[in-house]
Amino acid sequence: MRAPTNGPVTLSPTRIRFALLALALGGFGIGSTEFVAMGLLPNLARDLLPALYGASPDAANAQAGWLISAYALGVVVGAPTIAAAAARWPRKQLLLGLLAAFTLSTVASALLPTFGLVLAARFVAALPHGAYFGIASLVAADLMGPGKRARGVALVLSGLTIANIIGVPSITWLGQTAGWRAAYLVVAAIFAATFVAVALLVPLQAGNPHATMRSELRAFGRLQVWFALSIGAIGFGGLFAVYTYVAPLVMEVTGLGAGAVPLVLVVIGVGMTIGNLVGGVLADRSVRRTMYAFFVLMLLALAGLALSAQHLPGLLLGVFFVGAAASGLSPAIQTRLMDVSHDSQSIAAALNHSALNVGNALGAFLGGLAVAAGFGYVAPVWIGLGLSVIGLLLTVASFLLDRTRRRNGVLLPYGTEAIAVVPAP
Protein backbone atom coordinates (compact mmCIF):
# COMPACT_ATOMS: atom_id res chain seq x y z
CA MET A 1 0.00 0.00 0.00
CA ARG A 2 1.24 3.46 -0.87
CA ALA A 3 2.35 5.46 2.18
CA PRO A 4 0.43 8.61 3.01
CA THR A 5 2.13 11.74 1.71
CA ASN A 6 1.77 15.47 1.68
CA GLY A 7 2.67 17.75 -1.23
CA PRO A 8 2.08 16.93 -4.90
CA VAL A 9 1.52 13.19 -5.26
CA THR A 10 2.76 11.04 -8.11
CA LEU A 11 -0.49 9.94 -9.71
CA SER A 12 -1.70 9.70 -13.26
CA PRO A 13 -3.73 12.65 -14.56
CA THR A 14 -6.76 10.35 -14.84
CA ARG A 15 -6.46 9.27 -11.20
CA ILE A 16 -6.13 12.88 -10.09
CA ARG A 17 -9.25 13.87 -12.04
CA PHE A 18 -11.28 11.05 -10.47
CA ALA A 19 -10.03 11.97 -7.00
CA LEU A 20 -11.03 15.60 -7.56
CA LEU A 21 -14.45 14.50 -8.81
CA ALA A 22 -14.96 12.45 -5.64
CA LEU A 23 -14.09 15.48 -3.50
CA ALA A 24 -16.37 17.69 -5.59
CA LEU A 25 -19.23 15.20 -5.12
CA GLY A 26 -19.00 15.93 -1.41
CA GLY A 27 -19.33 19.62 -2.25
CA PHE A 28 -22.38 18.74 -4.34
CA GLY A 29 -23.98 17.08 -1.32
CA ILE A 30 -23.09 19.98 0.95
CA GLY A 31 -24.49 22.51 -1.52
CA SER A 32 -27.68 20.49 -1.74
CA THR A 33 -28.16 20.15 2.02
CA GLU A 34 -27.30 23.81 2.69
CA PHE A 35 -29.34 25.50 -0.03
CA VAL A 36 -32.36 23.23 -0.56
CA ALA A 37 -34.02 24.66 2.56
CA MET A 38 -34.09 28.07 0.88
CA GLY A 39 -36.18 26.84 -2.04
CA LEU A 40 -38.44 24.85 0.29
CA LEU A 41 -38.80 27.54 2.96
CA PRO A 42 -42.61 27.92 2.58
CA ASN A 43 -43.01 24.12 2.62
CA LEU A 44 -40.95 23.78 5.79
CA ALA A 45 -42.89 26.61 7.43
CA ARG A 46 -46.28 25.16 6.51
CA ASP A 47 -45.42 21.63 7.72
CA LEU A 48 -43.37 22.35 10.85
CA LEU A 49 -45.16 25.55 12.00
CA PRO A 50 -48.78 24.95 10.92
CA ALA A 51 -50.46 27.16 13.51
CA LEU A 52 -48.17 30.12 12.88
CA TYR A 53 -48.40 29.64 9.12
CA GLY A 54 -52.19 29.70 9.30
CA ALA A 55 -52.10 32.98 11.21
CA SER A 56 -49.26 34.68 9.28
CA PRO A 57 -47.33 33.03 6.42
CA ASP A 58 -44.73 35.83 6.50
CA ALA A 59 -44.04 35.28 10.20
CA ALA A 60 -43.84 31.52 9.67
CA ASN A 61 -41.42 31.94 6.76
CA ALA A 62 -39.26 34.23 8.89
CA GLN A 63 -39.17 31.69 11.72
CA ALA A 64 -38.47 28.82 9.32
CA GLY A 65 -35.44 30.85 8.27
CA TRP A 66 -33.98 29.84 11.64
CA LEU A 67 -33.33 26.41 10.08
CA ILE A 68 -30.94 28.11 7.68
CA SER A 69 -29.35 30.15 10.46
CA ALA A 70 -28.95 27.03 12.62
CA TYR A 71 -27.10 25.26 9.81
CA ALA A 72 -24.88 28.28 9.30
CA LEU A 73 -24.06 28.50 13.01
CA GLY A 74 -23.24 24.79 13.04
CA VAL A 75 -20.64 25.43 10.34
CA VAL A 76 -19.18 28.29 12.38
CA VAL A 77 -18.80 26.08 15.44
CA GLY A 78 -17.72 22.88 13.72
CA ALA A 79 -15.18 24.14 11.21
CA PRO A 80 -12.45 25.47 13.55
CA THR A 81 -13.13 22.90 16.26
CA ILE A 82 -12.83 19.82 14.06
CA ALA A 83 -10.05 21.23 11.87
CA ALA A 84 -7.88 22.19 14.84
CA ALA A 85 -8.49 18.99 16.80
CA ALA A 86 -7.93 16.68 13.82
CA ALA A 87 -5.12 18.44 11.92
CA ARG A 88 -2.74 15.53 12.59
CA TRP A 89 -5.18 12.86 11.41
CA PRO A 90 -4.71 11.21 8.01
CA ARG A 91 -6.77 13.34 5.66
CA LYS A 92 -8.62 10.59 3.81
CA GLN A 93 -9.80 8.93 7.02
CA LEU A 94 -10.92 12.28 8.37
CA LEU A 95 -12.92 12.96 5.20
CA LEU A 96 -14.62 9.58 5.50
CA GLY A 97 -15.58 10.25 9.12
CA LEU A 98 -17.05 13.63 8.17
CA LEU A 99 -19.07 12.08 5.33
CA ALA A 100 -20.48 9.43 7.67
CA ALA A 101 -21.57 12.19 10.04
CA PHE A 102 -23.19 14.08 7.15
CA THR A 103 -25.16 11.01 6.11
CA LEU A 104 -26.53 10.16 9.55
CA SER A 105 -27.43 13.72 10.55
CA THR A 106 -29.19 14.40 7.24
CA VAL A 107 -31.30 11.27 7.71
CA ALA A 108 -32.20 12.59 11.16
CA SER A 109 -33.20 15.95 9.62
CA ALA A 110 -35.60 14.11 7.32
CA LEU A 111 -37.21 11.93 9.99
CA LEU A 112 -37.53 14.03 13.16
CA PRO A 113 -41.10 15.21 13.79
CA THR A 114 -41.01 18.73 15.27
CA PHE A 115 -39.55 22.11 14.36
CA GLY A 116 -37.30 22.16 17.43
CA LEU A 117 -35.83 18.73 16.74
CA VAL A 118 -35.29 19.46 13.05
CA LEU A 119 -33.63 22.74 14.06
CA ALA A 120 -31.22 20.81 16.31
CA ALA A 121 -30.57 18.24 13.56
CA ARG A 122 -29.71 20.97 11.06
CA PHE A 123 -27.18 22.39 13.53
CA VAL A 124 -25.56 18.97 14.00
CA ALA A 125 -25.60 18.28 10.24
CA ALA A 126 -23.59 21.46 9.68
CA LEU A 127 -20.74 20.64 12.07
CA PRO A 128 -18.65 18.71 9.46
CA HIS A 129 -19.27 21.27 6.67
CA GLY A 130 -16.30 23.60 7.06
CA ALA A 131 -13.87 20.86 8.06
CA TYR A 132 -14.79 18.84 4.97
CA PHE A 133 -14.24 21.76 2.61
CA GLY A 134 -11.06 22.76 4.42
CA ILE A 135 -9.46 19.30 4.36
CA ALA A 136 -10.72 18.58 0.84
CA SER A 137 -9.21 21.88 -0.33
CA LEU A 138 -5.82 20.94 1.13
CA VAL A 139 -5.97 17.53 -0.56
CA ALA A 140 -6.97 19.13 -3.88
CA ALA A 141 -4.18 21.72 -3.62
CA ASP A 142 -1.64 18.94 -3.11
CA LEU A 143 -3.03 17.01 -6.07
CA MET A 144 -2.94 20.08 -8.33
CA GLY A 145 0.63 21.03 -7.42
CA PRO A 146 2.39 24.40 -6.98
CA GLY A 147 0.90 27.53 -8.52
CA LYS A 148 -2.60 26.06 -8.80
CA ARG A 149 -3.88 26.29 -5.22
CA ALA A 150 -6.85 28.52 -5.96
CA ARG A 151 -7.87 26.32 -8.88
CA GLY A 152 -7.74 23.28 -6.61
CA VAL A 153 -9.96 25.08 -4.11
CA ALA A 154 -12.30 26.12 -6.92
CA LEU A 155 -12.57 22.55 -8.19
CA VAL A 156 -13.68 21.33 -4.77
CA LEU A 157 -16.13 24.23 -4.50
CA SER A 158 -17.42 23.49 -8.02
CA GLY A 159 -19.43 20.63 -6.53
CA LEU A 160 -21.25 23.15 -4.36
CA THR A 161 -21.92 25.52 -7.23
CA ILE A 162 -23.02 22.75 -9.62
CA ALA A 163 -25.41 21.63 -6.90
CA ASN A 164 -27.14 24.96 -7.42
CA ILE A 165 -27.66 24.12 -11.11
CA ILE A 166 -28.72 20.48 -10.80
CA GLY A 167 -29.08 19.35 -7.21
CA VAL A 168 -30.91 22.20 -5.50
CA PRO A 169 -33.49 22.86 -8.25
CA SER A 170 -34.27 19.17 -8.80
CA ILE A 171 -34.39 18.38 -5.08
CA THR A 172 -36.51 21.49 -4.52
CA TRP A 173 -38.94 20.21 -7.18
CA LEU A 174 -38.97 16.82 -5.45
CA GLY A 175 -39.62 18.49 -2.11
CA GLN A 176 -42.51 20.49 -3.55
CA THR A 177 -44.12 17.37 -5.05
CA ALA A 178 -43.20 14.55 -2.63
CA GLY A 179 -42.52 16.53 0.55
CA TRP A 180 -39.43 18.15 2.02
CA ARG A 181 -38.59 15.02 4.01
CA ALA A 182 -38.10 13.06 0.78
CA ALA A 183 -35.78 15.83 -0.40
CA TYR A 184 -33.49 15.40 2.61
CA LEU A 185 -33.42 11.62 2.20
CA VAL A 186 -32.10 12.14 -1.33
CA VAL A 187 -29.40 14.44 0.06
CA ALA A 188 -28.43 11.74 2.57
CA ALA A 189 -28.07 9.29 -0.33
CA ILE A 190 -25.68 11.72 -2.06
CA PHE A 191 -23.47 11.79 1.04
CA ALA A 192 -23.48 7.98 1.22
CA ALA A 193 -22.40 7.81 -2.44
CA THR A 194 -19.62 10.33 -1.74
CA PHE A 195 -18.36 8.17 1.13
CA VAL A 196 -17.93 5.28 -1.30
CA ALA A 197 -16.30 7.49 -3.97
CA VAL A 198 -13.77 9.00 -1.55
CA ALA A 199 -12.94 5.58 -0.12
CA LEU A 200 -12.20 4.22 -3.59
CA LEU A 201 -10.66 7.18 -5.43
CA VAL A 202 -8.90 9.62 -3.08
CA PRO A 203 -5.26 8.74 -2.31
CA LEU A 204 -3.95 8.50 1.21
CA GLN A 205 -2.46 11.70 2.61
CA ALA A 206 -0.98 12.19 6.04
CA GLY A 207 -2.08 15.02 8.26
CA ASN A 208 0.40 17.54 9.60
CA PRO A 209 2.48 15.54 12.12
CA HIS A 210 3.65 18.73 13.83
CA ALA A 211 0.18 20.25 14.23
CA THR A 212 -1.35 20.68 17.65
CA MET A 213 -4.56 22.30 18.78
CA ARG A 214 -2.46 25.17 20.14
CA SER A 215 -0.48 25.71 16.92
CA GLU A 216 -3.62 25.67 14.80
CA LEU A 217 -5.47 28.07 17.09
CA ARG A 218 -2.51 30.45 16.81
CA ALA A 219 -4.14 31.66 13.58
CA PHE A 220 -6.64 33.58 15.71
CA GLY A 221 -3.80 35.76 16.99
CA ARG A 222 -3.12 37.24 13.54
CA LEU A 223 -4.85 40.47 12.61
CA GLN A 224 -4.99 39.69 8.89
CA VAL A 225 -6.76 36.39 9.63
CA TRP A 226 -9.48 38.37 11.39
CA PHE A 227 -9.69 40.76 8.45
CA ALA A 228 -10.13 37.84 6.03
CA LEU A 229 -12.75 36.21 8.25
CA SER A 230 -14.66 39.46 8.60
CA ILE A 231 -14.62 40.00 4.84
CA GLY A 232 -16.26 36.63 4.31
CA ALA A 233 -18.64 36.88 7.25
CA ILE A 234 -20.01 40.31 6.42
CA GLY A 235 -19.45 40.54 2.69
CA PHE A 236 -21.20 37.24 1.96
CA GLY A 237 -24.32 38.40 3.76
CA GLY A 238 -25.35 39.89 0.43
CA LEU A 239 -25.69 36.50 -1.23
CA PHE A 240 -27.50 34.84 1.64
CA ALA A 241 -29.90 37.70 2.27
CA VAL A 242 -31.10 37.10 -1.29
CA TYR A 243 -30.84 33.31 -1.38
CA THR A 244 -32.69 32.70 1.91
CA TYR A 245 -35.81 34.48 0.70
CA VAL A 246 -35.58 33.66 -3.00
CA ALA A 247 -38.77 31.58 -3.01
CA PRO A 248 -41.04 34.33 -1.62
CA LEU A 249 -39.14 36.92 -3.71
CA VAL A 250 -40.02 35.00 -6.87
CA MET A 251 -43.65 34.43 -5.87
CA GLU A 252 -44.56 37.63 -4.01
CA VAL A 253 -42.47 40.29 -5.78
CA THR A 254 -42.05 38.99 -9.33
CA GLY A 255 -45.48 37.34 -9.21
CA LEU A 256 -44.48 33.92 -10.52
CA GLY A 257 -45.79 30.56 -9.36
CA ALA A 258 -44.00 28.08 -7.13
CA GLY A 259 -42.94 26.12 -10.21
CA ALA A 260 -40.66 29.00 -11.23
CA VAL A 261 -38.57 28.76 -8.06
CA PRO A 262 -36.44 25.78 -9.23
CA LEU A 263 -35.78 27.57 -12.53
CA VAL A 264 -34.56 30.69 -10.71
CA LEU A 265 -32.36 28.46 -8.56
CA VAL A 266 -30.83 27.06 -11.76
CA VAL A 267 -29.97 30.59 -12.85
CA ILE A 268 -28.31 31.30 -9.50
CA GLY A 269 -26.42 28.02 -9.76
CA VAL A 270 -25.14 28.77 -13.25
CA GLY A 271 -23.90 32.15 -12.03
CA MET A 272 -22.21 30.56 -9.02
CA THR A 273 -20.50 27.89 -11.12
CA ILE A 274 -19.14 30.36 -13.66
CA GLY A 275 -18.07 32.81 -10.96
CA ASN A 276 -16.31 30.10 -8.94
CA LEU A 277 -14.26 28.81 -11.88
CA VAL A 278 -13.34 32.29 -13.11
CA GLY A 279 -12.53 33.39 -9.57
CA GLY A 280 -10.21 30.42 -9.08
CA VAL A 281 -8.20 31.22 -12.22
CA LEU A 282 -8.02 34.96 -11.44
CA ALA A 283 -7.08 34.43 -7.79
CA ASP A 284 -4.01 32.43 -8.85
CA ARG A 285 -2.91 35.60 -10.65
CA SER A 286 -3.90 38.22 -8.06
CA VAL A 287 -5.98 37.66 -4.94
CA ARG A 288 -6.25 41.39 -4.30
CA ARG A 289 -7.56 42.41 -7.72
CA THR A 290 -9.92 39.44 -7.80
CA MET A 291 -11.51 40.42 -4.49
CA TYR A 292 -11.92 44.03 -5.55
CA ALA A 293 -13.48 43.11 -8.89
CA PHE A 294 -15.99 40.64 -7.54
CA PHE A 295 -17.07 42.89 -4.66
CA VAL A 296 -17.82 45.68 -7.14
CA LEU A 297 -19.79 43.21 -9.26
CA MET A 298 -21.70 42.11 -6.15
CA LEU A 299 -22.71 45.69 -5.32
CA LEU A 300 -23.92 46.36 -8.86
CA ALA A 301 -25.84 43.09 -8.99
CA LEU A 302 -27.59 43.64 -5.65
CA ALA A 303 -28.57 47.20 -6.54
CA GLY A 304 -29.90 46.05 -9.90
CA LEU A 305 -31.89 43.22 -8.33
CA ALA A 306 -33.43 45.46 -5.68
CA LEU A 307 -34.57 47.96 -8.32
CA SER A 308 -35.87 45.49 -10.90
CA ALA A 309 -36.94 42.29 -9.11
CA GLN A 310 -40.59 42.89 -9.99
CA HIS A 311 -39.71 42.20 -13.64
CA LEU A 312 -38.63 38.74 -14.80
CA PRO A 313 -35.52 39.89 -16.76
CA GLY A 314 -34.36 42.00 -13.80
CA LEU A 315 -34.88 39.08 -11.43
CA LEU A 316 -32.93 36.62 -13.58
CA LEU A 317 -30.04 38.96 -14.35
CA GLY A 318 -29.85 40.08 -10.74
CA VAL A 319 -29.71 36.61 -9.18
CA PHE A 320 -27.27 35.39 -11.85
CA PHE A 321 -24.72 38.11 -11.12
CA VAL A 322 -25.21 37.96 -7.35
CA GLY A 323 -24.38 34.25 -7.52
CA ALA A 324 -21.43 34.81 -9.86
CA ALA A 325 -19.93 37.58 -7.72
CA ALA A 326 -20.26 35.68 -4.45
CA SER A 327 -18.76 32.47 -5.80
CA GLY A 328 -15.96 34.38 -7.52
CA LEU A 329 -14.95 35.75 -4.13
CA SER A 330 -14.87 32.38 -2.38
CA PRO A 331 -11.60 30.88 -3.75
CA ALA A 332 -9.91 34.28 -3.41
CA ILE A 333 -10.86 34.59 0.26
CA GLN A 334 -9.87 30.95 0.85
CA THR A 335 -6.43 31.59 -0.68
CA ARG A 336 -6.05 34.82 1.28
CA LEU A 337 -6.73 32.98 4.53
CA MET A 338 -4.17 30.31 3.65
CA ASP A 339 -1.61 33.03 2.89
CA VAL A 340 -2.04 34.97 6.12
CA SER A 341 -2.38 31.97 8.46
CA HIS A 342 1.11 30.61 7.65
CA ASP A 343 1.60 27.27 9.47
CA SER A 344 -2.04 26.96 10.65
CA GLN A 345 -3.17 25.58 7.29
CA SER A 346 -5.86 23.11 8.39
CA ILE A 347 -7.81 25.55 10.48
CA ALA A 348 -7.36 28.36 7.94
CA ALA A 349 -8.79 26.24 5.14
CA ALA A 350 -11.82 25.43 7.29
CA LEU A 351 -12.29 28.91 8.74
CA ASN A 352 -13.27 30.31 5.35
CA HIS A 353 -16.46 28.29 5.53
CA SER A 354 -17.12 29.40 9.09
CA ALA A 355 -16.86 32.97 7.88
CA LEU A 356 -19.11 32.43 4.87
CA ASN A 357 -21.72 30.81 7.08
CA VAL A 358 -21.63 33.69 9.51
CA GLY A 359 -22.63 35.62 6.40
CA ASN A 360 -25.32 33.00 5.80
CA ALA A 361 -26.72 33.37 9.31
CA LEU A 362 -26.37 37.16 9.26
CA GLY A 363 -28.08 37.58 5.92
CA ALA A 364 -30.90 35.19 6.83
CA PHE A 365 -31.39 36.77 10.27
CA LEU A 366 -31.36 40.42 9.19
CA GLY A 367 -33.48 39.64 6.16
CA GLY A 368 -35.95 37.83 8.38
CA LEU A 369 -36.18 40.83 10.70
CA ALA A 370 -37.00 43.06 7.73
CA VAL A 371 -39.63 40.65 6.41
CA ALA A 372 -41.22 40.14 9.84
CA ALA A 373 -41.34 43.94 10.28
CA GLY A 374 -43.45 44.21 7.12
CA PHE A 375 -40.88 45.73 4.74
CA GLY A 376 -41.44 43.07 2.10
CA TYR A 377 -39.17 40.63 0.31
CA VAL A 378 -37.04 43.23 -1.48
CA ALA A 379 -35.81 44.55 1.85
CA PRO A 380 -33.35 41.66 2.36
CA VAL A 381 -31.70 42.59 -0.95
CA TRP A 382 -31.03 46.13 0.31
CA ILE A 383 -29.68 44.68 3.56
CA GLY A 384 -27.38 42.47 1.53
CA LEU A 385 -26.14 45.52 -0.36
CA GLY A 386 -25.19 47.22 2.88
CA LEU A 387 -23.35 44.14 4.12
CA SER A 388 -21.40 43.89 0.87
CA VAL A 389 -20.35 47.53 1.12
CA ILE A 390 -18.86 46.79 4.54
CA GLY A 391 -17.13 43.72 3.08
CA LEU A 392 -15.51 45.82 0.36
CA LEU A 393 -14.31 48.42 2.87
CA LEU A 394 -12.75 45.68 5.01
CA THR A 395 -10.99 44.32 1.92
CA VAL A 396 -9.52 47.73 1.16
CA ALA A 397 -8.38 48.12 4.76
CA SER A 398 -6.73 44.68 4.80
CA PHE A 399 -4.65 45.29 1.68
CA LEU A 400 -3.75 48.82 2.75
CA LEU A 401 -2.33 47.30 5.93
CA ASP A 402 -0.20 44.96 3.79
CA ARG A 403 1.04 47.92 1.74
CA THR A 404 1.99 49.84 4.89
CA ARG A 405 4.03 46.91 6.17
CA ARG A 406 5.81 46.46 2.83
CA ARG A 407 6.67 50.14 2.71
CA ASN A 408 8.26 49.94 6.16
CA GLY A 409 10.32 46.97 4.97
CA VAL A 410 10.78 45.45 8.42
CA LEU A 411 9.47 42.49 10.36
CA LEU A 412 6.08 43.44 11.74
CA PRO A 413 3.61 41.36 13.76
CA TYR A 414 0.34 40.23 12.18
CA GLY A 415 -0.77 39.17 15.59
CA THR A 416 1.09 37.45 18.36
CA GLU A 417 3.96 36.46 16.03
CA ALA A 418 6.28 38.49 13.83
CA ILE A 419 6.41 37.39 10.22
CA ALA A 420 8.43 38.37 7.18
CA VAL A 421 6.88 41.01 4.98
CA VAL A 422 6.08 39.70 1.51
CA PRO A 423 4.50 41.38 -1.52
CA ALA A 424 0.73 41.21 -1.61
CA PRO A 425 -0.53 38.78 -4.24
Side-chain angles (χ1 to χ4, degrees), residues 7 18 47 90 100 119 139 150 184 199 205 208 300 303 316 320 324 343 384 387:
F18 277 114
D47 187 52
L119 188 73
V139 172
Y184 277 110
Q205 281 191 13
N208 181 356
L300 295 174
L316 296 179
F320 174 87
D343 56 344
L387 292 173

Side-chain angles (χ1 to χ4, degrees), residues 336-392:
R336 175 69 172 168
L337 263 172
M338 293 167 70
D339 286 338
V340 299
S341 66
H342 304 290
D343 56 344
S344 305
Q345 290 288 295
S346 294
I347 197 169
L351 281 173
N352 184 42
H353 300 280
S354 286
L356 301 189
N357 278 273
V358 170
N360 188 339
L362 190 63
F365 175 72
L366 294 177
L369 289 181
V371 170
F375 292 111
Y377 290 105
V378 175
V381 183
W382 289 115
I383 289 173
L385 179 65
L387 292 173
S388 295
V389 168
I390 297 172
L392 176 58

Side-chain angles (χ1 to χ4, degrees), residues 120-371:
R122 296 313 296 152
F123 176 83
V124 173
L127 293 174
H129 176 127
Y132 177 87
F133 272 127
I135 300 303
S137 294
L138 292 175
V139 172
D142 284 346
L143 291 170
M144 292 292 288
K148 298 180 180 179
R149 289 181 309 153
R151 273 169 279 188
V153 171
L155 286 169
V156 173
L157 291 174
S158 68
L160 186 150
T161 60
I162 292 171
N164 286 279
I165 301 174
I166 301 171
V168 175
S170 60
I171 296 172
T172 297
W173 174 83
L174 175 66
Q176 290 174 337
T177 56
W180 64 268
R181 296 182 187 276
Y184 277 110
L185 288 175
V186 169
V187 174
I190 295 171
F191 284 127
T194 306
F195 181 96
V196 175
V198 169
L200 294 176
L201 299 172
V202 174
L204 295 174
Q205 281 191 13
N208 181 356
H210 306 294
T212 64
M213 175 77 79
R214 183 175 181 179
S215 67
E216 289 293 317
L217 293 178
R218 196 175 295 146
F220 288 108
R222 298 187 175 102
L223 179 59
Q224 286 288 23
V225 168
W226 284 105
F227 264 115
L229 292 177
S230 299
I231 290 164
I234 298 174
F236 261 69
L239 170 65
F240 293 113
V242 173
Y243 211 151
T244 300
Y245 300 99
V246 68
L249 180 71
V250 169
M251 293 187 286
E252 302 294 333
V253 177
T254 314
L256 303 176
V261 174
L263 299 177
V264 174
L265 293 175
V266 169
V267 174
I268 297 175
V270 171
M272 292 178 74
T273 300
I274 294 173
N276 174 62
L277 295 176
V278 173
V281 172
L282 294 179
D284 276 328
R285 299 176 183 175
S286 172
V287 170
R288 176 174 56 86
R289 287 194 293 270
T290 299
M291 292 175 68
Y292 285 158
F294 280 106
F295 260 123
V296 171
L297 179 60
M298 174 76 87
L299 296 177
L300 295 174
L302 287 166
L305 178 61
L307 295 172
S308 62
Q310 67 271 28
H311 305 296
L312 180 59
L315 172 73
L316 296 179
L317 286 172
V319 297
F320 174 87
F321 283 109
V322 168
S327 286
L329 281 167
S330 187
I333 295 175
Q334 177 92 70
T335 304
R336 175 69 172 168
L337 263 172
M338 293 167 70
D339 286 338
V340 299
S341 66
H342 304 290
D343 56 344
S344 305
Q345 290 288 295
S346 294
I347 197 169
L351 281 173
N352 184 42
H353 300 280
S354 286
L356 301 189
N357 278 273
V358 170
N360 188 339
L362 190 63
F365 175 72
L366 294 177
L369 289 181
V371 170

Side-chain angles (χ1 to χ4, degrees), residues 77-149:
V77 172
T81 304
I82 296 172
R88 301 177 69 172
W89 294 9
R91 290 172 179 172
K92 179 175 178 176
Q93 283 78 356
L94 178 56
L95 290 172
L96 291 174
L98 296 172
L99 288 166
F102 270 128
T103 304
L104 295 174
S105 56
T106 306
V107 169
S109 299
L111 299 181
L112 290 171
T114 67
F115 178 78
L117 290 175
V118 173
L119 188 73
R122 296 313 296 152
F123 176 83
V124 173
L127 293 174
H129 176 127
Y132 177 87
F133 272 127
I135 300 303
S137 294
L138 292 175
V139 172
D142 284 346
L143 291 170
M144 292 292 288
K148 298 180 180 179
R149 289 181 309 153

Side-chain angles (χ1 to χ4, degrees), residues 23-37:
L23 296 172
L25 182 60
F28 185 91
I30 293 173
S32 298
T33 197
E34 180 176 18
F35 295 126
V36 75

